[in-house]
Amino acid sequence: AQTVTQSQPEMSVQEAETVTLSCTYDTSENNYYLFWYKQPPSRQMILVIRQEAYKQQNATENRFSVNFQKAAKSFSLKISDSQLGDTAMYFCASLSGGYNKLIFGAGTRLAVHP
Amino acid sequence: NAGVTQTPKFQVLKTGQSMTLQCAQDMNHNSMYWYRQDPGMGLRLIYYSASEGTTDKGEVPNGYNVSRLNKREFSLRLESAAPSQTSVYFCASRTGTRETQYFGPGTRLLVL
């Protein structure tokens, strides 16, 4: 069965610094996708970044980048130049099974302090 | 475009009452999903509809039914609400050719 594990329940960082959120996953499939979603206090689920498993190059979106280690089944999120608006819950998720099985980790609560 | 919309935003039920959560999307997406989010946990899939006219169970389907009314709308029904169904419910949709799911704002449900 697919599983996604986020081992850091809470993290904090100073504004303008860099923080890395960890995620490991387990899947038996060859074709899959990985995502990071952000959930601010408004509860809206917002896509931050996605990674196709068949691509070796790490995905980047402005200040957000991932370190995708396929052999280790690791998918960490790096946030550079942290901003107060980055304060949120961050969920790692894995998608496979005909693209209908999106499995989430338990989340990491990130607090950005001024 | 409104994206994915959900009604109501918040609802209080008594144990044994029934209700239907509504979801609609205006992005012409083929697939739609219902998730629940409980404290300390990520979202868990309740039911999904890969295309109009089809529905399938997810991880936690017990106590729920769904209806894919048309391509735009996908409803979730609780026939006899239980306190264990207190949660935040999210609807999501995606196209048939892209993998990313887009989420609605959520419905907070409290069952007393």
Side-chain angles (χ1 to χ4, degrees):
Chain A
Q2 266 181 281
T3 59
V4 177
T5 303
Q6 294 179 249
S7 58
Q8 304 154 315
E10 295 185 0
M11 293 193 72
S12 64
V13 64
Q14 294 296 121
E15 200 174 6
E17 292 187 345
T18 295
V19 63
T20 299
L21 309 184
S22 301
C23 173
T24 58
Y25 62 93
D26 191 16
T27 179
S28 57
E29 303 199 17
N30 291 323
N31 296 321
Y32 56 92
Y33 292 77
L34 299 167
F35 302 86
W36 279 97
Y37 279 92
K38 170 185 177 181
Q39 187 179 42
S42 66
R43 286 205 312 266
Q44 181 74 47
M45 293 291 287
I46 302 166
L47 177 68
V48 175
I49 200 165
R50 52 171 267 164
Q51 173 81 41
E52 294 90 336
Y54 62 86
K55 287 188 177 180
Q56 292 185 337
Q57 187 173 6
N58 289 326
T60 62
E61 287 288 341
N62 300 315
R63 298 183 294 108
F64 299 88
S65 62
V66 299
N67 183 4
F68 174 46
Q69 302 289 327
K70 191 172 184 178
K73 295 185 177 177
S74 170
F75 182 60
S76 60
L77 175 70
K78 185 171 83 171
I79 305 174
S80 303
D81 186 24
S82 297
Q83 300 176 359
L84 297 178
D86 295 334
T87 293
M89 282 288 287
Y90 286 82
F91 292 97
C92 178
S94 166
L95 179 68
S96 58
Y99 304 154
N100 285 312
K101 303 289 187 182
L102 188 60
I103 304 298
F104 285 84
T108 296
R109 185 177 302 279
L110 175 67
V112 180
H113 301 289
Chain B
N1 285 348
V4 180
T5 57
Q6 293 182 234
T7 56
K9 291 184 179 179
F10 177 65
Q11 183 72 46
V12 179
L13 290 179
K14 294 182 180 179
T15 296
Q17 287 185 317
S18 63
M19 81 161 293
T20 299
L21 280 63
Q22 306 288 352
C23 173
Q25 52 89 11
D26 61 3
M27 297 176 283
N28 201 33
H29 286 175
N30 294 323
S31 303
M32 298 185 74
Y33 307 83
W34 276 106
Y35 294 88
R36 61 177 289 172
Q37 183 180 25
D38 300 304
M41 303 181 71
L43 280 68
R44 292 183 293 167
L45 183 64
I46 304 171
Y47 269 94
Y48 68 95
S49 171
S51 61
E52 188 178 355
T54 68
T55 61
D56 285 285
K57 295 178 180 179
E59 294 177 79
V60 288
N62 291 344
Y64 305 96
N65 286 303
V66 291
S67 295
R68 184 72 183 269
L69 304 170
N70 47 55
K71 191 171 185 178
R72 289 187 64 249
E73 299 172 290
F74 188 40
S75 62
L76 178 71
R77 183 162 178 82
L78 287 70
E79 290 291 351
S80 179
S84 61
Q85 293 178 305
T86 292
S87 190
V88 179
Y89 291 85
F90 288 93
C91 178
S93 70
R94 73 171 181 92
T95 70
T97 56
R98 297 287 291 175
E99 301 72 29
T100 301
Q101 294 186 16
Y102 297 90
F103 287 82
T107 292
R108 186 170 167 230
L109 177 66
L110 177 61
V111 183
L112 302 175

Short mmCIF file of all heavy atoms in Angstrom, two decimals, chain A residues 63-112:
data_model
loop_
_atom_site.label_atom_id
_atom_site.label_comp_id
_atom_site.label_asym_id
_atom_site.label_seq_id
_atom_site.Cartn_x
_atom_site.Cartn_y
_atom_site.Cartn_z
N ARG A 63 10.58 30.56 -5.06
CA ARG A 63 11.36 30.32 -3.83
C ARG A 63 11.27 28.87 -3.35
O ARG A 63 11.93 28.50 -2.35
CB ARG A 63 10.86 31.25 -2.72
CG ARG A 63 11.03 32.73 -3.02
CD ARG A 63 10.58 33.58 -1.85
NE ARG A 63 9.14 33.47 -1.60
CZ ARG A 63 8.61 32.82 -0.57
NH1 ARG A 63 9.38 32.22 0.33
NH2 ARG A 63 7.29 32.78 -0.41
N PHE A 64 10.46 28.06 -4.00
CA PHE A 64 10.23 26.69 -3.56
C PHE A 64 10.96 25.72 -4.50
O PHE A 64 10.87 25.85 -5.71
CB PHE A 64 8.73 26.38 -3.57
CG PHE A 64 7.92 27.25 -2.64
CD1 PHE A 64 7.41 28.47 -3.08
CD2 PHE A 64 7.69 26.85 -1.34
CE1 PHE A 64 6.68 29.27 -2.22
CE2 PHE A 64 6.95 27.65 -0.48
CZ PHE A 64 6.45 28.86 -0.92
N SER A 65 11.65 24.78 -3.92
CA SER A 65 12.32 23.75 -4.71
C SER A 65 12.25 22.43 -3.96
O SER A 65 12.01 22.40 -2.75
CB SER A 65 13.77 24.13 -5.00
OG SER A 65 14.49 24.26 -3.80
N VAL A 66 12.44 21.35 -4.69
CA VAL A 66 12.42 20.03 -4.05
C VAL A 66 13.75 19.34 -4.25
O VAL A 66 14.50 19.63 -5.18
CB VAL A 66 11.27 19.15 -4.60
CG1 VAL A 66 9.92 19.79 -4.32
CG2 VAL A 66 11.47 18.84 -6.07
N ASN A 67 14.03 18.41 -3.34
CA ASN A 67 15.15 17.49 -3.49
C ASN A 67 14.54 16.10 -3.60
O ASN A 67 14.11 15.51 -2.60
CB ASN A 67 16.09 17.58 -2.29
CG ASN A 67 17.31 16.69 -2.46
OD1 ASN A 67 17.50 16.05 -3.50
ND2 ASN A 67 18.13 16.62 -1.44
N PHE A 68 14.46 15.59 -4.82
CA PHE A 68 13.81 14.32 -5.11
C PHE A 68 14.89 13.24 -5.21
O PHE A 68 15.71 13.27 -6.14
CB PHE A 68 13.01 14.44 -6.40
CG PHE A 68 12.40 13.16 -6.87
CD1 PHE A 68 11.72 12.31 -6.01
CD2 PHE A 68 12.48 12.79 -8.22
CE1 PHE A 68 11.15 11.13 -6.46
CE2 PHE A 68 11.91 11.61 -8.68
CZ PHE A 68 11.25 10.78 -7.80
N GLN A 69 14.88 12.31 -4.28
CA GLN A 69 15.82 11.19 -4.27
C GLN A 69 15.01 9.91 -4.48
O GLN A 69 14.48 9.34 -3.53
CB GLN A 69 16.57 11.14 -2.93
CG GLN A 69 17.34 12.40 -2.59
CD GLN A 69 18.55 12.56 -3.49
OE1 GLN A 69 19.17 11.60 -3.92
NE2 GLN A 69 18.87 13.81 -3.81
N LYS A 70 14.92 9.49 -5.75
CA LYS A 70 14.01 8.39 -6.09
C LYS A 70 14.40 7.08 -5.42
O LYS A 70 13.55 6.36 -4.92
CB LYS A 70 13.96 8.21 -7.62
CG LYS A 70 12.87 7.27 -8.08
CD LYS A 70 12.74 7.28 -9.59
CE LYS A 70 11.57 6.40 -10.04
NZ LYS A 70 11.41 6.43 -11.52
N ALA A 71 15.68 6.77 -5.41
CA ALA A 71 16.12 5.50 -4.81
C ALA A 71 15.83 5.46 -3.32
O ALA A 71 15.45 4.42 -2.77
CB ALA A 71 17.60 5.29 -5.07
N ALA A 72 15.98 6.59 -2.67
CA ALA A 72 15.73 6.67 -1.23
C ALA A 72 14.26 6.93 -0.93
O ALA A 72 13.86 6.93 0.24
CB ALA A 72 16.58 7.76 -0.61
N LYS A 73 13.45 7.18 -1.96
CA LYS A 73 12.03 7.51 -1.81
C LYS A 73 11.87 8.70 -0.86
O LYS A 73 11.09 8.66 0.12
CB LYS A 73 11.22 6.30 -1.37
CG LYS A 73 11.21 5.20 -2.43
CD LYS A 73 10.33 4.04 -2.09
CE LYS A 73 10.33 3.03 -3.24
NZ LYS A 73 9.53 1.82 -2.93
N SER A 74 12.62 9.74 -1.17
CA SER A 74 12.61 10.95 -0.36
C SER A 74 12.24 12.14 -1.24
O SER A 74 12.66 12.24 -2.40
CB SER A 74 13.99 11.15 0.27
OG SER A 74 14.09 12.40 0.87
N PHE A 75 11.46 13.06 -0.68
CA PHE A 75 10.95 14.19 -1.46
C PHE A 75 10.83 15.39 -0.52
O PHE A 75 9.78 15.66 0.03
CB PHE A 75 9.59 13.81 -2.05
CG PHE A 75 8.95 14.85 -2.94
CD1 PHE A 75 9.57 15.29 -4.08
CD2 PHE A 75 7.70 15.37 -2.62
CE1 PHE A 75 8.99 16.24 -4.91
CE2 PHE A 75 7.09 16.32 -3.43
CZ PHE A 75 7.73 16.76 -4.57
N SER A 76 11.91 16.13 -0.33
CA SER A 76 11.90 17.23 0.62
C SER A 76 11.62 18.55 -0.09
O SER A 76 11.93 18.71 -1.27
CB SER A 76 13.22 17.30 1.39
OG SER A 76 14.29 17.50 0.50
N LEU A 77 11.05 19.48 0.65
CA LEU A 77 10.70 20.81 0.14
C LEU A 77 11.60 21.84 0.78
O LEU A 77 11.66 21.92 2.01
CB LEU A 77 9.24 21.14 0.44
CG LEU A 77 8.78 22.55 0.08
CD1 LEU A 77 8.72 22.73 -1.44
CD2 LEU A 77 7.41 22.85 0.70
N LYS A 78 12.27 22.65 -0.04
CA LYS A 78 13.09 23.75 0.47
C LYS A 78 12.41 25.07 0.16
O LYS A 78 12.04 25.33 -0.99
CB LYS A 78 14.48 23.72 -0.14
CG LYS A 78 15.41 24.78 0.45
CD LYS A 78 16.85 24.61 0.00
CE LYS A 78 17.07 25.25 -1.34
NZ LYS A 78 18.52 25.29 -1.70
N ILE A 79 12.24 25.88 1.21
CA ILE A 79 11.68 27.21 1.04
C ILE A 79 12.79 28.21 1.30
O ILE A 79 13.34 28.26 2.42
CB ILE A 79 10.50 27.45 2.00
CG1 ILE A 79 9.44 26.35 1.84
CG2 ILE A 79 9.89 28.83 1.75
CD1 ILE A 79 8.31 26.43 2.85
N SER A 80 13.14 28.97 0.30
CA SER A 80 14.20 29.98 0.44
C SER A 80 13.58 31.35 0.73
O SER A 80 12.43 31.61 0.37
CB SER A 80 15.01 30.05 -0.85
OG SER A 80 15.54 28.80 -1.19
N ASP A 81 14.36 32.20 1.41
CA ASP A 81 13.89 33.56 1.69
C ASP A 81 12.46 33.52 2.27
O ASP A 81 11.53 34.13 1.75
CB ASP A 81 13.91 34.40 0.41
CG ASP A 81 13.58 35.86 0.63
OD1 ASP A 81 13.78 36.34 1.77
OD2 ASP A 81 13.08 36.50 -0.31
N SER A 82 12.31 32.80 3.37
CA SER A 82 10.99 32.58 3.97
C SER A 82 10.27 33.90 4.26
O SER A 82 10.89 34.89 4.69
CB SER A 82 11.13 31.79 5.27
OG SER A 82 11.65 30.52 5.02
N GLN A 83 8.97 33.90 4.00
CA GLN A 83 8.14 35.07 4.23
C GLN A 83 7.04 34.74 5.24
O GLN A 83 6.68 33.58 5.41
CB GLN A 83 7.54 35.53 2.90
CG GLN A 83 8.58 35.90 1.86
CD GLN A 83 7.98 36.25 0.52
OE1 GLN A 83 6.76 36.22 0.33
NE2 GLN A 83 8.83 36.59 -0.43
N LEU A 84 6.53 35.79 5.89
CA LEU A 84 5.48 35.57 6.89
C LEU A 84 4.29 34.84 6.29
O LEU A 84 3.63 34.03 6.96
CB LEU A 84 5.05 36.90 7.50
CG LEU A 84 6.13 37.67 8.27
CD1 LEU A 84 5.57 38.99 8.76
CD2 LEU A 84 6.66 36.85 9.43
N GLY A 85 4.01 35.08 5.03
CA GLY A 85 2.88 34.43 4.35
C GLY A 85 3.10 32.95 4.09
O GLY A 85 2.17 32.26 3.66
N ASP A 86 4.31 32.46 4.35
CA ASP A 86 4.56 31.03 4.19
C ASP A 86 4.09 30.23 5.40
O ASP A 86 4.08 29.00 5.37
CB ASP A 86 6.06 30.77 3.99
CG ASP A 86 6.59 31.37 2.69
OD1 ASP A 86 5.80 31.53 1.74
OD2 ASP A 86 7.80 31.68 2.64
N THR A 87 3.71 30.93 6.46
CA THR A 87 3.18 30.25 7.65
C THR A 87 1.94 29.46 7.27
O THR A 87 0.96 30.02 6.77
CB THR A 87 2.84 31.27 8.75
OG1 THR A 87 4.06 31.86 9.22
CG2 THR A 87 2.11 30.61 9.90
N ALA A 88 1.98 28.12 7.49
CA ALA A 88 0.90 27.24 7.05
C ALA A 88 1.23 25.81 7.43
O ALA A 88 2.33 25.52 7.89
CB ALA A 88 0.71 27.32 5.54
N MET A 89 0.26 24.92 7.21
CA MET A 89 0.52 23.49 7.21
C MET A 89 0.97 23.11 5.82
O MET A 89 0.41 23.59 4.82
CB MET A 89 -0.74 22.71 7.55
CG MET A 89 -1.10 22.69 9.02
SD MET A 89 0.00 21.65 9.99
CE MET A 89 -0.53 20.02 9.48
N TYR A 90 1.96 22.23 5.74
CA TYR A 90 2.44 21.75 4.45
C TYR A 90 2.26 20.24 4.39
O TYR A 90 2.70 19.51 5.28
CB TYR A 90 3.91 22.13 4.24
CG TYR A 90 4.08 23.59 3.95
CD1 TYR A 90 4.12 24.52 4.99
CD2 TYR A 90 4.19 24.05 2.64
CE1 TYR A 90 4.26 25.87 4.73
CE2 TYR A 90 4.32 25.40 2.37
CZ TYR A 90 4.34 26.30 3.42
OH TYR A 90 4.47 27.65 3.16
N PHE A 91 1.61 19.80 3.32
CA PHE A 91 1.34 18.39 3.14
C PHE A 91 2.08 17.86 1.93
O PHE A 91 2.03 18.44 0.84
CB PHE A 91 -0.16 18.14 2.95
CG PHE A 91 -0.99 18.40 4.16
CD1 PHE A 91 -1.64 19.61 4.31
CD2 PHE A 91 -1.12 17.44 5.15
CE1 PHE A 91 -2.42 19.86 5.44
CE2 PHE A 91 -1.89 17.68 6.27
CZ PHE A 91 -2.53 18.88 6.42
N CYS A 92 2.74 16.74 2.13
CA CYS A 92 3.36 16.00 1.05
C CYS A 92 2.34 14.96 0.58
O CYS A 92 1.59 14.39 1.40
CB CYS A 92 4.62 15.31 1.56
SG CYS A 92 5.51 14.30 0.39
N ALA A 93 2.26 14.70 -0.73
CA ALA A 93 1.28 13.75 -1.24
C ALA A 93 1.85 12.98 -2.42
O ALA A 93 2.66 13.51 -3.19
CB ALA A 93 0.00 14.47 -1.66
N SER A 94 1.40 11.75 -2.54
CA SER A 94 1.85 10.86 -3.62
C SER A 94 0.65 10.43 -4.45
O SER A 94 -0.39 10.07 -3.88
CB SER A 94 2.54 9.64 -3.00
OG SER A 94 2.70 8.61 -3.95
N LEU A 95 0.78 10.44 -5.75
CA LEU A 95 -0.32 10.09 -6.65
C LEU A 95 0.08 8.95 -7.57
O LEU A 95 1.09 9.02 -8.25
CB LEU A 95 -0.71 11.29 -7.49
CG LEU A 95 -1.82 11.07 -8.51
CD1 LEU A 95 -3.14 10.82 -7.81
CD2 LEU A 95 -1.94 12.27 -9.45
N SER A 96 -0.73 7.91 -7.56
CA SER A 96 -0.52 6.81 -8.50
C SER A 96 -1.86 6.12 -8.70
O SER A 96 -2.90 6.73 -8.51
CB SER A 96 0.54 5.84 -7.97
OG SER A 96 0.15 5.33 -6.72
N GLY A 97 -1.86 4.87 -9.08
CA GLY A 97 -3.12 4.13 -9.21
C GLY A 97 -4.06 4.74 -10.22
O GLY A 97 -5.23 4.94 -9.92
N GLY A 98 -3.58 5.03 -11.41
CA GLY A 98 -4.44 5.63 -12.41
C GLY A 98 -4.75 7.09 -12.13
O GLY A 98 -5.73 7.64 -12.64
N TYR A 99 -3.93 7.70 -11.30
CA TYR A 99 -4.04 9.13 -10.97
C TYR A 99 -5.27 9.45 -10.14
O TYR A 99 -5.67 10.60 -10.04
CB TYR A 99 -4.03 10.00 -12.22
CG TYR A 99 -2.83 9.79 -13.11
CD1 TYR A 99 -2.88 10.05 -14.46
CD2 TYR A 99 -1.63 9.31 -12.59
CE1 TYR A 99 -1.79 9.85 -15.27
CE2 TYR A 99 -0.53 9.11 -13.39
CZ TYR A 99 -0.62 9.38 -14.74
OH TYR A 99 0.46 9.19 -15.54
N ASN A 100 -5.88 8.46 -9.52
CA ASN A 100 -7.03 8.71 -8.67
C ASN A 100 -6.76 8.47 -7.19
O ASN A 100 -7.63 8.68 -6.36
CB ASN A 100 -8.22 7.84 -9.10
CG ASN A 100 -8.87 8.37 -10.36
OD1 ASN A 100 -9.15 9.56 -10.48
ND2 ASN A 100 -9.10 7.49 -11.31
N LYS A 101 -5.56 8.02 -6.85
CA LYS A 101 -5.24 7.72 -5.45
C LYS A 101 -4.20 8.72 -4.97
O LYS A 101 -3.01 8.52 -5.16
CB LYS A 101 -4.70 6.30 -5.32
CG LYS A 101 -5.63 5.23 -5.85
CD LYS A 101 -6.83 5.04 -4.97
CE LYS A 101 -7.65 3.83 -5.45
NZ LYS A 101 -8.87 3.64 -4.64
N LEU A 102 -4.67 9.81 -4.38
CA LEU A 102 -3.77 10.82 -3.83
C LEU A 102 -3.65 10.56 -2.34
O LEU A 102 -4.63 10.73 -1.61
CB LEU A 102 -4.30 12.22 -4.12
CG LEU A 102 -3.41 13.41 -3.78
CD1 LEU A 102 -2.12 13.34 -4.57
CD2 LEU A 102 -4.14 14.71 -4.06
N ILE A 103 -2.45 10.16 -1.89
CA ILE A 103 -2.22 9.80 -0.49
C ILE A 103 -1.41 10.92 0.16
O ILE A 103 -0.34 11.28 -0.33
CB ILE A 103 -1.47 8.47 -0.38
CG1 ILE A 103 -2.23 7.36 -1.12
CG2 ILE A 103 -1.26 8.10 1.08
CD1 ILE A 103 -3.61 7.08 -0.59
N PHE A 104 -1.93 11.41 1.29
CA PHE A 104 -1.30 12.53 1.98
C PHE A 104 -0.53 12.06 3.20
O PHE A 104 -0.91 11.10 3.88
CB PHE A 104 -2.37 13.52 2.45
CG PHE A 104 -2.95 14.36 1.36
CD1 PHE A 104 -4.00 13.89 0.59
CD2 PHE A 104 -2.46 15.63 1.10
CE1 PHE A 104 -4.56 14.67 -0.43
CE2 PHE A 104 -3.00 16.41 0.10
CZ PHE A 104 -4.05 15.93 -0.66
N GLY A 105 0.54 12.81 3.52
CA GLY A 105 1.18 12.67 4.81
C GLY A 105 0.39 13.43 5.86
O GLY A 105 -0.60 14.10 5.55
N ALA A 106 0.84 13.35 7.11
CA ALA A 106 0.12 13.96 8.23
C ALA A 106 0.33 15.47 8.31
O ALA A 106 -0.39 16.15 9.03
CB ALA A 106 0.53 13.30 9.54
N GLY A 107 1.33 15.98 7.59
CA GLY A 107 1.53 17.41 7.55
C GLY A 107 2.63 17.91 8.48
O GLY A 107 2.96 17.27 9.48
N THR A 108 3.22 19.06 8.11
CA THR A 108 4.18 19.77 8.94
C THR A 108 3.69 21.20 9.12
O THR A 108 3.43 21.88 8.13
CB THR A 108 5.58 19.79 8.29
OG1 THR A 108 6.09 18.46 8.20
CG2 THR A 108 6.54 20.65 9.12
N ARG A 109 3.56 21.60 10.36
CA ARG A 109 3.12 22.99 10.63
C ARG A 109 4.34 23.87 10.65
O ARG A 109 5.24 23.71 11.49
CB ARG A 109 2.39 23.08 11.96
CG ARG A 109 1.80 24.45 12.24
CD ARG A 109 1.01 24.46 13.54
NE ARG A 109 -0.06 23.48 13.55
CZ ARG A 109 -1.24 23.67 12.99
NH1 ARG A 109 -1.52 24.80 12.37
NH2 ARG A 109 -2.16 22.72 13.06
N LEU A 110 4.41 24.84 9.72
CA LEU A 110 5.54 25.75 9.62
C LEU A 110 5.14 27.13 10.12
O LEU A 110 4.13 27.68 9.69
CB LEU A 110 6.01 25.86 8.16
CG LEU A 110 7.13 26.87 7.91
CD1 LEU A 110 8.42 26.41 8.58
CD2 LEU A 110 7.35 27.07 6.42
N ALA A 111 5.95 27.66 11.02
CA ALA A 111 5.75 29.03 11.51
C ALA A 111 6.94 29.87 11.09
O ALA A 111 8.09 29.50 11.36
CB ALA A 111 5.59 29.02 13.02
N VAL A 112 6.67 30.98 10.43
CA VAL A 112 7.72 31.92 10.03
C VAL A 112 7.62 33.13 10.95
O VAL A 112 6.58 33.78 11.03
CB VAL A 112 7.56 32.36 8.56
CG1 VAL A 112 8.67 33.33 8.18
CG2 VAL A 112 7.58 31.13 7.65
#
